[in-house]
Structure formats: C-alpha cells, structure tokens
Amino acid sequence: MFQESPVMRIKKVTKFFSPENLEVNLNEDGAEDETRVDTQYPAQYKGQELYSQEEDEQPQGWVSWAWSFVPAILTEMQAESSYYSPQKVKSKEVLCWEQEGTTVEALMMGEPFFDCQIGFVGCRAMCLKGIMGVKDFEESMNRSETEACFFICGENLNMKGLTYLTNSLFDYRSPENNGTHAEFILDAANHKETYTEIAGMQRFGAFYMDYLYTMENTSGKGSANQQDFSSGKSEDLGTLQEKSTKSLVIGPLDFRLDSSAVHRILKMIVCALEHEYEPYSRLKPDIKGESETVLNPEEVASLEEYIPTRHTSVTLLKCTFTIFMAEFNLLDHLLPVIMGEKNSSNFMNTTNFQSLRPLPSIQILVDKINLEHSVPMYAEHLVHVVSSLTQPFDNLLHYCYAHCYLKIFGFQAGLTSLDCRGSYCVPVPIIPSFSTALYGKLLKLSTCWTKRSQIAITECIFELPNLTVQATRAQTLLLQAIYQSWSHTGNVSSSAVNEALMNEVFQTIGCRIVVLLASAVYRLVDEAIPIELLT
C-alpha cells in the first residue's frame, strides 16, 4: 500500500489444499478429518478408513490439530496386535463438504468506517460410507456421485472463472498491481449503490456477505468513540450517528432430503448436543434498572432525529427443496436426543441398504426468499430512556421494537419421482405458484413497560393474496405414503410403492400435457385457415 494514504486496507484470499477446493470430511462422531481427495469421488472414498497417526508418520492439518484438544465422543477404539501397543482412534467419514473460490476482504478507516466482505463461488455436500449401521454408500453398493451429492449451491469454478479475485491483490488488473492509487468507497450511500446483491452474485455465485459499520460525528467536536452513546450520558446523545448493516445472499441451491442426508444431518446435531460443558452464553433476564435516565425536551428531540440500529438482510435465490420418501427410518434413535429426552443415540445394527426405485418425492421451488431483521443498537439504554417519558413519540416507540420481515416469492410445490437412471419425471403440480409476506415486531425489555399497558408487546401481520391446493385422490394417497414413511419410526426400510398408484399419479399428468399440446396445435391451425383462404 502507499504510505501517504491514511486508509488501511487488508485484502486476503484464502484457499485450502489447492487453489480451487476446500474439503472437510465429517465423521460420525462429529469430528473433522482433513483429507485432500480427488474429485473422482467414489473410487477414492469407498472403503477408505482413516486412522490417527504418530506425528513422525503423517503431518496433521490445522483442523486435525485443533480437534486434538477436544475430547472424543462416541469414538471407536482399535487395539494393536501387540498387548503393549497403544489404542488408536478409528474414524469413518459420513459427510464431505467441498467449497471453491473463497475470498475474504476487509476495508477500514479508523473508527468511522469498517467493511468486511466474504464470498465463495460454489459448494456441495456428499454422503460417504454408511450411517448408524446402514451401509447406504459402502463400496459394494456402487452408487453414483450424483446420488451421493445432496446439496449443491452456486457454480463450478472452472465455468465461473476467476471473478472472485476481482480487485484483490491477486488480480493483475487491480490498481495496486499496476502502480496506481486505489480509489476507496468510504461512505455508506456509495457503498450501498456499488456493492449490490447482483454485483455480489456476479462476482461469486454461491454466497456473498457484506458487513458494514459506519459512524459519523454530527456535533463537530472531533472524533468520538462507540461507547459514548451506550454509556448513558445525556450530553452525548445525538452527537453520533452509527449504523450497522449485514447483507447475506445465497445463490441458486438444490437441497435433496433423502434418508441418507437426513440421518447424517441429524447425527451431526446429536453429536453437537451430547456435551458436558456449560453453554457458551445464556440469555439475560429482562430486569429493569433501579435508576432511570431523565432527559430534557431538547435532548429528547435530538434523540428522535437519529437512533443507531443494526440491520440484517438474508436473501435466498432460486431454491429447490426435494423431500423423498424415506428408504430407511431410524429417527426413533435420533429425535429423542435432539428433543432432550435421553442422552445417547448409540445404534450399530449393520443393515444392507435396499434402494427404492422409483422413489416418489415432494419438490418445492422458490424464486426468492428475503428475511430482514432490524433492532436498536443500544436497546437497553434506549428502552430505559423512552419508557421513562410521559408521552413518548411514535418514532421513539418504533425503535424500541425488534422488527422482522419475511417475504417469499414464487413458492410452488408438486410431486415427482426419481427413476433408476437418476432422472426425474415431469412434476405434478399440487400448489401453484404464489407469494406471501409476514411481518412481526417484539418490544425489547418488556419488563420496563409494566406501567404502560396500552403499549403492545408484540404484533404480527400476515399477507396471503391467493393460495390454491389441488390434488386428486391418487396424489393424496401418495402424499400420505411419503408422510407415513417418515412418521412411522422403527422400520429400517420402506416397503415398495404401489405401482398402480404411481402410474395413476404420474401418467395422468402426461396425458394432460398431450391434450394441452393437441389443443394448442388445433388453435394455431384453426387461426391459420382464414388467412390461407383470404390469400
């Protein structure tokens, strides 16, 4: 960087194992194993078992080194042939996470401005080996990589290119690499116009996060620190204008919830819940302070002009969720642990996996999901001030709430089926496309408002312009069969789906398409006849 520039910028591009991939394997105990694996997944993963090695035998990665300080949970110990040989921990991978094109950038100018952007181009999650005694992806199964992959987000790095390195020190086109000054955006308005959701998705593709904090001193008395407002000093109120915004955008994703994926995800949750340490944090009770802050009218007017807030926005684009009929169901061993009813989920009853084809499923498509959350930056002090006022202004009351907006666009659901070749049949629409919105607000520190019974604690508004649900008797029976495959726990494998029912559900839609096409062709021909007669 140039020494004469007062701005400090840190740009860092993080890559693990190779310039493209970050791969982390999760075993059934919830631990992490670092292994560089060729993208030709099945031949390398199948039948492979990792053992902890001595330091002089094999170098450890940073994840393995960090995990060595954590006591093992549910681990399987394997003794050596010699009586005096130490036991070694045997691990069996059940999940694999791959990530491509990761970038982290930070831009800071003292206290008034800080921005951090994180993004990556693509990621996917795959099933490995077996889970809870069910050998669904063992070497003998010969299942394809397409079946193993249950989560895909973003784009392929080979197709996307090096756009994720744009304007970083790894970009040969950046000003720093061409001997010129870099122009920095150091105000919130220009930053918001430049770094939009569209720009973030064009640069990355899978995930983009932008965290921005700005602080402006409006008193003209020089710089001030962040703690002035939170200290509760009335003379400091209104002199600082702080704002924090977090924007997260997740690109097109495909999430397949079959038996293999569901049991692996829940097993990881169970391993995380089975711990003996105290929780990292506890919720503080809403306790009203003994001393109340009283402001004069000028200070109240200054406070009403600007109140620091924290705003968070999460956007999901082009989501596909597929819920398959359960091919095996061992949830009776996992759900009690998650619900806190028991402490152990040990279950090792080796069972051969029998794939069910055709495999019916419920497929949900959503064009866009947007969640926005807004909360006052210094809620405790603000509530104590506003609740002490005789008649607080509506604007001040508005900022004493936590506000949440949920908007869903283009939601639709239908029935489909997966055949032996790994392809889906034409979806049968059950819920046509619709949009909806939900708004809710919750009063912060409700115990401070006990004397104000007229003030609402919570409020909720739900908007649903239209909703249509359509299903024949056969489609209803198939939906019921999918639900029962998950709700009836204890059975290891599902029975075969009635072939006549499947034909009635999925061939009916084919007949409808043929009729619609024939009708469309007839209309075109019918409209073309008068034109030919006129000529």
Side-chain angles (χ1 to χ4, degrees), residues 22 40 74-76 110 149 208 270 332 349 369 397 404 424 470 474 492 502 522:
L22 163 64
Q40 306 271 337
L74 302 172
T75 38
E76 181 182 352
C149 186
Y208 171 69
V270 167
D332 55 335
N349 184 14
I369 301 175
L397 279 177
C404 186
Y424 294 92
Q470 56 189 26
V492 176
M502 295 287 289
Y522 175 78

Side-chain angles (χ1 to χ4, degrees), residues 4-36:
E4 64 271 21
S5 175
V7 181
M8 178 179 68
R9 181 175 65 165
I10 302 174
K11 287 188 177 182
K12 179 181 180 182
V13 179
T14 306
K15 304 177 185 179
F16 299 88
F17 303 113
S18 70
E20 296 85 13
N21 292 343
L22 163 64
E23 300 182 0
V24 178
N25 299 335
L26 298 180
N27 60 37
E28 198 165 340
D29 307 326
E32 294 180 354
D33 285 317
E34 274 189 6
T35 309
R36 179 67 183 100

Side-chain angles (χ1 to χ4, degrees), residues 115 153 169 172 200 217 224 357 449 453 508:
D115 177 66
C153 182
L169 296 180
Y172 69 93
N217 188 354
R357 296 293 184 274
W449 306 88
S453 58
T508 302

